[in-house]
Amino acid sequence: MITFIVGTKAELIKCVPVMKELENRNIDYYFIHTGQHSLSNLAKDFGIKNPDIVLYNPPKTSSRFMTKTHKAIFWGATLIKKIRVVLNKLRPSYVLFHGDTLTTASAAIASSNILGKKSWKSAHLEAGLRSFNLFEPFPEEISRKIADRFSDILFAPSDLSVENLKKEKVSGEIIKTGNTIVDTVLISLKIAKKRKLTKPKEKKYVVVNVHRHENIKSKDRMRKIVEIIKNISYPIYWPIHDNTKLQLKNFGLLNEIKNKEIHFSPLMSYIEFLWLIKNSTYLVTDGGSIQEESLVLKKPCIILRKETERQEGLKTGINFLTRLDVEYSKRVIEMLESSNFKVPKFKNPYGDGKASKRIVDYLLSS
Protein backbone atom coordinates (compact mmCIF):
# COMPACT_ATOMS: atom_id res chain seq x y z
CA MET A 1 0.00 0.00 0.00
CA ILE A 2 1.14 3.53 -0.85
CA THR A 3 0.21 6.13 1.75
CA PHE A 4 0.19 9.92 1.30
CA ILE A 5 0.50 12.30 4.25
CA VAL A 6 -0.79 15.71 3.22
CA GLY A 7 -1.43 18.86 5.26
CA THR A 8 -1.67 21.91 3.02
CA LYS A 9 -3.29 22.86 -0.26
CA ALA A 10 0.12 23.33 -1.89
CA GLU A 11 1.12 19.79 -0.91
CA LEU A 12 -2.08 18.26 -2.27
CA ILE A 13 -1.83 20.26 -5.50
CA LYS A 14 1.52 18.60 -6.18
CA CYS A 15 0.46 15.15 -4.97
CA VAL A 16 -2.67 15.08 -7.15
CA PRO A 17 -0.86 13.94 -10.34
CA VAL A 18 0.73 11.02 -8.47
CA MET A 19 -2.64 10.06 -6.99
CA LYS A 20 -4.25 10.25 -10.42
CA GLU A 21 -1.46 8.18 -11.97
CA LEU A 22 -2.11 5.47 -9.38
CA GLU A 23 -5.87 5.63 -10.08
CA ASN A 24 -5.23 5.33 -13.82
CA ARG A 25 -3.37 2.08 -13.09
CA ASN A 26 -6.12 0.84 -10.75
CA ILE A 27 -3.81 1.00 -7.75
CA ASP A 28 -5.40 2.04 -4.48
CA TYR A 29 -3.69 4.41 -2.04
CA TYR A 30 -4.31 5.65 1.48
CA PHE A 31 -4.72 9.38 2.10
CA ILE A 32 -3.89 10.82 5.54
CA HIS A 33 -4.80 14.48 6.09
CA THR A 34 -3.11 16.25 9.02
CA GLY A 35 -5.61 19.13 9.00
CA GLN A 36 -3.14 21.97 8.41
CA HIS A 37 -5.42 23.39 5.68
CA SER A 38 -8.93 22.55 4.55
CA LEU A 39 -8.63 20.24 1.52
CA SER A 40 -12.19 19.12 0.76
CA ASN A 41 -12.90 21.66 -2.00
CA LEU A 42 -9.54 21.02 -3.63
CA ALA A 43 -10.06 17.26 -3.65
CA LYS A 44 -13.47 17.77 -5.22
CA ASP A 45 -12.04 20.15 -7.82
CA PHE A 46 -9.52 17.57 -9.01
CA GLY A 47 -11.87 14.62 -8.70
CA ILE A 48 -9.81 12.67 -6.20
CA LYS A 49 -11.08 10.88 -3.12
CA ASN A 50 -11.46 12.59 0.24
CA PRO A 51 -8.89 11.73 2.93
CA ASP A 52 -9.24 8.28 4.48
CA ILE A 53 -8.33 9.73 7.86
CA VAL A 54 -8.13 13.31 9.22
CA LEU A 55 -5.82 13.74 12.22
CA TYR A 56 -6.99 17.25 13.16
CA ASN A 57 -10.05 19.19 12.08
CA PRO A 58 -8.89 21.73 9.46
CA PRO A 59 -9.24 25.47 10.16
CA LYS A 60 -11.94 27.65 8.65
CA THR A 61 -9.45 30.46 7.93
CA SER A 62 -6.69 30.22 5.30
CA SER A 63 -4.02 29.68 7.98
CA ARG A 64 -4.15 27.46 11.05
CA PHE A 65 -1.63 29.54 12.97
CA MET A 66 -2.19 33.16 11.82
CA THR A 67 1.57 34.02 12.16
CA LYS A 68 1.87 32.46 15.68
CA THR A 69 5.08 30.40 15.30
CA HIS A 70 5.03 28.89 18.80
CA LYS A 71 1.60 27.37 18.13
CA ALA A 72 2.87 25.89 14.89
CA ILE A 73 5.87 24.24 16.55
CA PHE A 74 3.74 22.73 19.33
CA TRP A 75 1.22 21.43 16.78
CA GLY A 76 3.99 19.83 14.73
CA ALA A 77 5.41 18.06 17.77
CA THR A 78 2.06 16.51 18.70
CA LEU A 79 1.42 15.57 15.07
CA ILE A 80 4.48 13.31 14.89
CA LYS A 81 3.09 10.86 17.43
CA LYS A 82 -0.35 10.81 15.79
CA ILE A 83 1.13 10.00 12.39
CA ARG A 84 3.29 7.18 13.75
CA VAL A 85 0.34 5.55 15.50
CA VAL A 86 -1.57 5.45 12.20
CA LEU A 87 1.42 4.14 10.24
CA ASN A 88 2.02 1.36 12.76
CA LYS A 89 -1.58 0.23 12.20
CA LEU A 90 -1.53 0.56 8.40
CA ARG A 91 1.97 -0.85 7.81
CA PRO A 92 2.18 0.54 4.23
CA SER A 93 4.89 -0.22 1.69
CA TYR A 94 5.64 3.44 1.03
CA VAL A 95 4.92 6.67 2.88
CA LEU A 96 4.91 9.75 0.63
CA PHE A 97 5.00 13.37 1.78
CA HIS A 98 5.64 16.54 -0.14
CA GLY A 99 7.42 19.85 0.12
CA ASP A 100 8.48 21.92 3.09
CA THR A 101 5.68 22.44 5.60
CA LEU A 102 5.27 21.44 9.24
CA THR A 103 3.31 18.46 7.97
CA THR A 104 6.26 17.48 5.76
CA ALA A 105 8.82 17.62 8.55
CA SER A 106 6.49 15.84 10.99
CA ALA A 107 5.72 13.10 8.47
CA ALA A 108 9.40 12.58 7.71
CA ILE A 109 10.30 12.19 11.38
CA ALA A 110 7.23 10.07 12.17
CA SER A 111 7.96 7.65 9.32
CA SER A 112 11.68 7.33 10.09
CA ASN A 113 13.68 4.87 12.19
CA ILE A 114 14.12 7.47 14.90
CA LEU A 115 10.83 6.32 16.45
CA GLY A 116 11.68 2.64 16.20
CA LYS A 117 11.78 -0.08 13.59
CA LYS A 118 9.56 0.31 10.54
CA SER A 119 8.39 -1.92 7.70
CA TRP A 120 7.97 0.80 5.06
CA LYS A 121 10.10 3.17 3.02
CA SER A 122 9.53 6.93 3.21
CA ALA A 123 9.76 9.18 0.17
CA HIS A 124 10.04 12.95 -0.08
CA LEU A 125 8.43 14.44 -3.17
CA GLU A 126 10.23 17.62 -4.30
CA ALA A 127 13.47 16.96 -2.43
CA GLY A 128 16.62 19.06 -2.61
CA LEU A 129 15.26 22.60 -2.87
CA ARG A 130 17.50 25.04 -1.01
CA SER A 131 17.66 28.79 -0.38
CA PHE A 132 20.76 28.23 1.81
CA ASN A 133 19.30 30.51 4.48
CA LEU A 134 17.46 28.91 7.40
CA PHE A 135 15.34 32.02 7.91
CA GLU A 136 14.46 32.73 4.26
CA PRO A 137 11.87 31.27 4.04
CA PHE A 138 11.19 30.28 7.64
CA PRO A 139 10.43 27.58 8.72
CA GLU A 140 10.26 26.02 5.24
CA GLU A 141 14.02 25.78 4.71
CA ILE A 142 14.33 23.89 7.99
CA SER A 143 11.38 21.62 7.19
CA ARG A 144 12.73 20.57 3.81
CA LYS A 145 16.18 19.81 5.24
CA ILE A 146 14.57 17.66 7.94
CA ALA A 147 12.51 15.84 5.31
CA ASP A 148 15.57 15.13 3.15
CA ARG A 149 17.58 14.00 6.18
CA PHE A 150 15.02 11.39 7.27
CA SER A 151 13.74 10.09 3.89
CA ASP A 152 14.70 6.78 2.30
CA ILE A 153 13.85 8.01 -1.22
CA LEU A 154 14.36 11.54 -2.51
CA PHE A 155 12.40 12.46 -5.64
CA ALA A 156 14.28 15.49 -6.94
CA PRO A 157 12.56 17.93 -9.34
CA SER A 158 15.64 19.29 -11.15
CA ASP A 159 19.36 18.94 -11.85
CA LEU A 160 20.11 21.60 -9.24
CA SER A 161 18.13 19.81 -6.53
CA VAL A 162 20.01 16.59 -7.29
CA GLU A 163 23.28 18.50 -6.97
CA ASN A 164 22.19 20.00 -3.63
CA LEU A 165 21.34 16.58 -2.21
CA LYS A 166 24.64 15.07 -3.35
CA LYS A 167 26.59 17.90 -1.74
CA GLU A 168 24.79 17.26 1.55
CA LYS A 169 25.60 13.53 1.27
CA VAL A 170 22.09 12.46 2.18
CA SER A 171 21.63 8.77 2.96
CA GLY A 172 18.47 8.32 0.89
CA GLU A 173 18.37 7.27 -2.76
CA ILE A 174 18.17 10.26 -5.10
CA ILE A 175 15.85 9.97 -8.12
CA LYS A 176 15.45 12.84 -10.59
CA THR A 177 11.84 12.96 -11.78
CA GLY A 178 11.00 16.56 -12.69
CA ASN A 179 8.48 18.57 -10.69
CA THR A 180 4.91 17.33 -10.37
CA ILE A 181 3.71 20.96 -10.55
CA VAL A 182 4.16 20.75 -14.34
CA ASP A 183 1.80 17.77 -14.41
CA THR A 184 -0.67 19.62 -12.17
CA VAL A 185 -0.72 22.72 -14.36
CA LEU A 186 -1.44 20.64 -17.46
CA ILE A 187 -4.25 18.79 -15.66
CA SER A 188 -5.68 22.07 -14.31
CA LEU A 189 -5.72 23.81 -17.68
CA LYS A 190 -7.69 20.94 -19.20
CA ILE A 191 -10.25 21.22 -16.40
CA ALA A 192 -10.42 25.02 -16.74
CA LYS A 193 -11.06 24.80 -20.49
CA LYS A 194 -13.66 22.10 -20.01
CA ARG A 195 -15.47 24.29 -17.48
CA LYS A 196 -15.17 27.28 -19.82
CA LEU A 197 -13.86 29.54 -17.07
CA THR A 198 -13.99 33.24 -17.83
CA LYS A 199 -11.08 35.65 -17.56
CA PRO A 200 -10.94 39.29 -16.40
CA LYS A 201 -12.15 41.94 -18.85
CA GLU A 202 -8.76 43.68 -18.89
CA LYS A 203 -6.33 42.60 -21.61
CA LYS A 204 -3.39 43.39 -19.34
CA TYR A 205 -3.40 42.84 -15.60
CA VAL A 206 -1.12 41.70 -12.78
CA VAL A 207 -1.71 38.96 -10.21
CA VAL A 208 -0.42 39.66 -6.69
CA ASN A 209 0.03 36.99 -4.03
CA VAL A 210 1.64 37.71 -0.62
CA HIS A 211 1.60 35.40 2.39
CA ARG A 212 5.14 34.48 3.58
CA HIS A 213 5.39 34.73 7.37
CA GLU A 214 8.80 36.41 7.31
CA ASN A 215 7.20 39.16 5.21
CA ILE A 216 3.80 39.66 6.77
CA LYS A 217 5.17 39.66 10.34
CA SER A 218 7.50 42.58 9.49
CA LYS A 219 6.14 46.12 9.14
CA ASP A 220 9.32 47.21 7.36
CA ARG A 221 9.04 44.43 4.78
CA MET A 222 5.33 44.98 4.22
CA ARG A 223 5.93 48.70 3.73
CA LYS A 224 8.49 47.88 1.02
CA ILE A 225 6.10 45.41 -0.60
CA VAL A 226 3.35 48.04 -0.64
CA GLU A 227 5.78 50.53 -2.22
CA ILE A 228 6.63 47.98 -4.91
CA ILE A 229 2.95 47.30 -5.62
CA LYS A 230 2.25 51.03 -5.89
CA ASN A 231 4.57 51.15 -8.92
CA ILE A 232 2.37 48.77 -10.92
CA SER A 233 0.38 50.68 -13.54
CA TYR A 234 -1.82 47.79 -14.72
CA PRO A 235 -5.00 46.66 -12.90
CA ILE A 236 -4.21 44.23 -10.08
CA TYR A 237 -6.03 41.05 -9.07
CA TRP A 238 -5.17 40.04 -5.52
CA PRO A 239 -6.81 36.97 -3.92
CA ILE A 240 -5.75 37.81 -0.38
CA HIS A 241 -4.98 35.54 2.58
CA ASP A 242 -6.72 36.26 5.88
CA ASN A 243 -3.45 36.76 7.76
CA THR A 244 -2.03 39.05 5.05
CA LYS A 245 -5.08 41.30 5.17
CA LEU A 246 -4.97 41.33 8.98
CA GLN A 247 -1.31 42.38 9.01
CA LEU A 248 -1.82 45.10 6.39
CA LYS A 249 -4.56 46.52 8.59
CA ASN A 250 -2.46 46.22 11.75
CA PHE A 251 0.42 48.08 10.09
CA GLY A 252 -1.87 50.78 8.70
CA LEU A 253 -0.83 49.94 5.13
CA LEU A 254 -4.09 48.75 3.60
CA ASN A 255 -5.36 52.29 3.02
CA GLU A 256 -2.17 53.17 1.11
CA ILE A 257 -3.13 50.89 -1.77
CA LYS A 258 -6.91 51.27 -1.72
CA ASN A 259 -6.74 54.12 -4.22
CA LYS A 260 -5.09 51.85 -6.80
CA GLU A 261 -7.10 49.69 -9.18
CA ILE A 262 -6.86 46.56 -7.07
CA HIS A 263 -9.48 43.84 -7.22
CA PHE A 264 -9.25 42.15 -3.81
CA SER A 265 -11.01 38.83 -3.41
CA PRO A 266 -11.04 35.89 -1.00
CA LEU A 267 -8.77 33.00 -1.92
CA MET A 268 -10.16 31.18 -4.95
CA SER A 269 -9.89 27.57 -6.04
CA TYR A 270 -6.54 26.48 -7.43
CA ILE A 271 -7.91 25.92 -10.93
CA GLU A 272 -9.51 29.38 -10.96
CA PHE A 273 -6.29 30.93 -9.65
CA LEU A 274 -4.19 29.17 -12.28
CA TRP A 275 -6.57 30.39 -14.99
CA LEU A 276 -6.18 33.92 -13.61
CA ILE A 277 -2.39 33.55 -13.82
CA LYS A 278 -2.50 32.08 -17.33
CA ASN A 279 -4.27 35.15 -18.70
CA SER A 280 -2.22 37.71 -16.75
CA THR A 281 0.65 39.89 -17.96
CA TYR A 282 2.99 39.20 -15.04
CA LEU A 283 3.01 38.07 -11.41
CA VAL A 284 4.15 39.66 -8.14
CA THR A 285 4.53 37.15 -5.31
CA ASP A 286 6.45 35.89 -2.32
CA GLY A 287 5.12 32.35 -2.85
CA GLY A 288 7.14 29.29 -3.79
CA SER A 289 5.13 27.11 -6.17
CA ILE A 290 3.89 30.13 -8.09
CA GLN A 291 7.48 30.69 -9.24
CA GLU A 292 7.36 27.24 -10.83
CA GLU A 293 3.91 27.82 -12.29
CA SER A 294 5.18 31.03 -13.88
CA LEU A 295 7.75 28.98 -15.80
CA VAL A 296 5.17 26.46 -17.03
CA LEU A 297 2.86 29.28 -18.16
CA LYS A 298 5.72 31.53 -19.33
CA LYS A 299 4.62 34.45 -17.17
CA PRO A 300 7.24 36.88 -15.79
CA CYS A 301 7.37 36.72 -12.00
CA ILE A 302 8.60 39.38 -9.57
CA ILE A 303 9.67 37.59 -6.37
CA LEU A 304 9.13 39.51 -3.12
CA ARG A 305 11.80 37.73 -1.13
CA LYS A 306 15.35 38.06 0.13
CA GLU A 307 16.17 34.52 -1.06
CA THR A 308 14.49 31.78 -3.07
CA GLU A 309 14.81 28.00 -3.07
CA ARG A 310 13.57 27.94 -6.68
CA GLN A 311 16.90 29.18 -8.01
CA GLU A 312 16.52 27.42 -11.35
CA GLY A 313 13.96 30.02 -12.42
CA LEU A 314 16.39 32.91 -11.97
CA LYS A 315 18.33 31.72 -15.03
CA THR A 316 15.30 31.71 -17.36
CA GLY A 317 15.03 35.48 -17.75
CA ILE A 318 11.46 35.69 -16.41
CA ASN A 319 11.91 35.18 -12.64
CA PHE A 320 13.26 38.24 -10.81
CA LEU A 321 14.42 38.02 -7.20
CA THR A 322 13.97 41.53 -5.79
CA ARG A 323 15.47 41.02 -2.30
CA LEU A 324 12.76 43.61 -1.48
CA ASP A 325 14.77 46.34 -3.18
CA VAL A 326 12.12 48.90 -4.14
CA GLU A 327 14.20 50.66 -6.80
CA TYR A 328 15.24 47.40 -8.48
CA SER A 329 11.62 46.21 -8.42
CA LYS A 330 10.51 49.48 -9.99
CA ARG A 331 12.97 48.99 -12.87
CA VAL A 332 11.73 45.42 -13.44
CA ILE A 333 8.11 46.60 -13.46
CA GLU A 334 8.96 49.30 -16.00
CA MET A 335 10.71 46.71 -18.17
CA LEU A 336 7.80 44.23 -18.01
CA GLU A 337 5.27 46.95 -18.82
CA SER A 338 7.34 48.24 -21.72
CA SER A 339 6.04 47.51 -25.22
CA ASN A 340 9.52 46.24 -26.08
CA PHE A 341 9.55 43.38 -23.59
CA LYS A 342 9.21 39.85 -24.91
CA VAL A 343 9.36 36.63 -22.93
CA PRO A 344 12.69 34.95 -23.81
CA LYS A 345 12.85 31.35 -24.94
CA PHE A 346 13.97 28.91 -22.26
CA LYS A 347 13.77 25.24 -21.34
CA ASN A 348 11.70 24.60 -18.22
CA PRO A 349 14.15 23.24 -15.61
CA TYR A 350 11.29 21.38 -13.91
CA GLY A 351 10.64 18.96 -16.71
CA ASP A 352 8.07 17.78 -19.22
CA GLY A 353 4.94 16.97 -17.21
CA LYS A 354 5.73 13.28 -16.72
CA ALA A 355 7.12 13.44 -13.19
CA SER A 356 4.19 11.56 -11.67
CA LYS A 357 4.63 8.71 -14.15
CA ARG A 358 8.32 8.42 -13.25
CA ILE A 359 7.52 8.42 -9.53
CA VAL A 360 4.89 5.69 -9.83
CA ASP A 361 7.10 3.65 -12.17
CA TYR A 362 9.85 3.72 -9.55
CA LEU A 363 7.57 2.80 -6.66
CA LEU A 364 6.11 -0.16 -8.55
CA SER A 365 9.47 -1.45 -9.76
CA SER A 366 11.47 -1.26 -6.55
Side-chain angles (χ1 to χ4, degrees):
M1 179 196 297
I2 295 171
T3 295
F4 292 85
I5 302 175
V6 180
T8 70
K9 291 177 182 178
E11 292 168 51
L12 183 57
I13 285 164
K14 291 184 173 182
C15 286
V16 158
V18 185
M19 293 174 171
K20 282 187 168 291
E21 183 67 24
L22 289 168
E23 289 173 0
N24 290 341
R25 303 190 196 194
N26 295 316
I27 299 169
D28 198 16
Y29 60 87
Y30 201 83
F31 181 4
I32 300 172
H33 179 205
T34 66
Q36 194 168 340
H37 286 172
S38 176
L39 301 180
S40 55
N41 289 338
L42 190 60
K44 184 178 179 181
D45 240 11
F46 280 111
I48 60 169
K49 70 176 180 178
N50 287 319
D52 294 291
I53 186 169
V54 179
L55 300 180
Y56 287 96
N57 290 329
K60 293 180 180 179
T61 57
S62 61
S63 173
R64 173 174 284 277
F65 310 112
M66 294 300 280
T67 75
K68 292 180 174 60
T69 305
H70 64 285
K71 285 188 176 181
I73 293 171
F74 177 77
W75 181 80
T78 60
L79 182 62
I80 292 170
K81 185 177 180 180
K82 280 202 169 194
I83 293 173
R84 185 59 178 234
V85 168
V86 175
L87 293 180
N88 284 339
K89 290 179 180 178
L90 288 177
R91 301 183 71 81
S93 301
Y94 293 99
V95 178
L96 273 60
F97 37 85
H98 183 280
D100 53 20
T101 70
L102 277 169
T103 290
T104 314
S106 299
I109 294 170
S111 61
S112 72
N113 284 317
I114 198 171
L115 297 184
K117 290 183 179 180
K118 59 175 188 171
S119 58
W120 55 81
K121 285 188 176 182
S122 59
H124 184 199
L125 303 175
E126 200 179 70
L129 275 64
R130 296 291 183 271
S131 70
F132 303 102
N133 185 329
L134 292 181
F135 300 99
E136 299 283 348
F138 178 83
E140 286 81 0
E141 182 76 358
I142 296 171
S143 294
R144 65 175 68 101
K145 293 195 79 168
I146 289 172
D148 290 342
R149 164 68 178 79
F150 288 105
S151 297
D152 300 307
I153 305 163
L154 300 155
F155 291 118
S158 68
D159 290 330
L160 181 58
S161 55
V162 169
E163 186 181 321
N164 291 338
L165 292 168
K166 286 181 177 179
K167 285 181 179 177
E168 292 179 10
K169 298 181 179 179
V170 294
S171 59
E173 184 178 4
I174 302 168
I175 311 293
K176 183 192 168 188
T177 57
N179 198 318
T180 58
I181 192 62
V182 184
D183 310 38
T184 302
V185 170
L186 298 177
I187 292 169
S188 300
L189 291 179
K190 286 182 181 178
I191 296 172
K193 289 175 182 176
K194 188 175 181 180
R195 293 180 185 173
K196 297 180 180 178
L197 294 183
T198 58
K199 54 186 178 181
K201 61 182 183 299
E202 296 91 348
K203 288 185 178 180
K204 293 185 177 182
Y205 64 88
V206 177
V207 174
V208 171
N209 173 266
V210 179
H211 66 278
R212 291 254 60 86
H213 280 205
E214 63 271 18
N215 281 342
I216 66 174
K217 290 172 74 173
S218 166
K219 185 174 182 178
D220 178 62
R221 288 191 178 204
M222 289 305 289
R223 185 173 294 282
K224 289 177 180 177
I225 287 171
V226 166
E227 285 301 315
I228 290 168
I229 290 170
K230 284 163 71 173
N231 283 287
I232 298 170
S233 65
Y234 294 161
I236 295 169
Y237 282 81
W238 188 346
I240 193 165
H241 291 70
D242 302 318
N243 46 3
T244 304
K245 190 172 185 178
L246 177 66
Q247 293 298 91
L248 283 170
K249 283 183 178 178
N250 289 343
F251 295 147
L253 295 171
L254 194 57
N255 288 333
E256 288 195 24
I257 49 177
K258 277 194 171 178
N259 60 342
K260 285 193 65 66
E261 191 179 349
I262 299 181
H263 303 277
F264 286 108
S265 72
L267 297 183
M268 55 184 66
S269 75
Y270 176 75
I271 293 169
E272 290 174 325
F273 183 61
L274 196 72
W275 191 247
L276 186 70
I277 292 174
K278 183 186 184 301
N279 293 288
S280 69
T281 307
Y282 64 91
L283 317 172
V284 179
T285 185
D286 63 359
S289 296
I290 195 170
Q291 297 172 46
E292 301 161 349
E293 291 154 353
S294 77
L295 300 183
V296 183
L297 298 171
K298 294 181 170 55
K299 297 296 176 180
C301 182
I302 296 174
I303 305 166
L304 302 172
R305 288 194 188 184
K306 298 278 189 178
E307 306 287 352
T308 180
E309 66 283 357
R310 272 84 174 179
Q311 297 188 14
E312 298 92 337
L314 302 181
K315 297 178 181 179
T316 63
I318 67 166
N319 278 13
F320 306 92
L321 181 62
T322 65
R323 303 190 191 277
L324 297 183
D325 183 323
V326 176
E327 289 305 313
Y328 169 74
S329 302
K330 184 179 179 180
R331 292 195 297 272
V332 174
I333 289 169
E334 288 175 350
M335 178 186 71
L336 296 180
E337 294 187 358
S338 165
S339 58
N340 297 323
F341 178 79
K342 291 183 179 180
V343 173
K345 290 184 179 180
F346 62 88
K347 182 180 180 181
N348 190 343
Y350 296 121
D352 54 7
K354 298 178 181 178
S356 52
K357 181 180 183 301
R358 295 185 185 99
I359 290 167
V360 172
D361 282 347
Y362 176 86
L363 295 176
L364 297 182
S365 64
S366 60

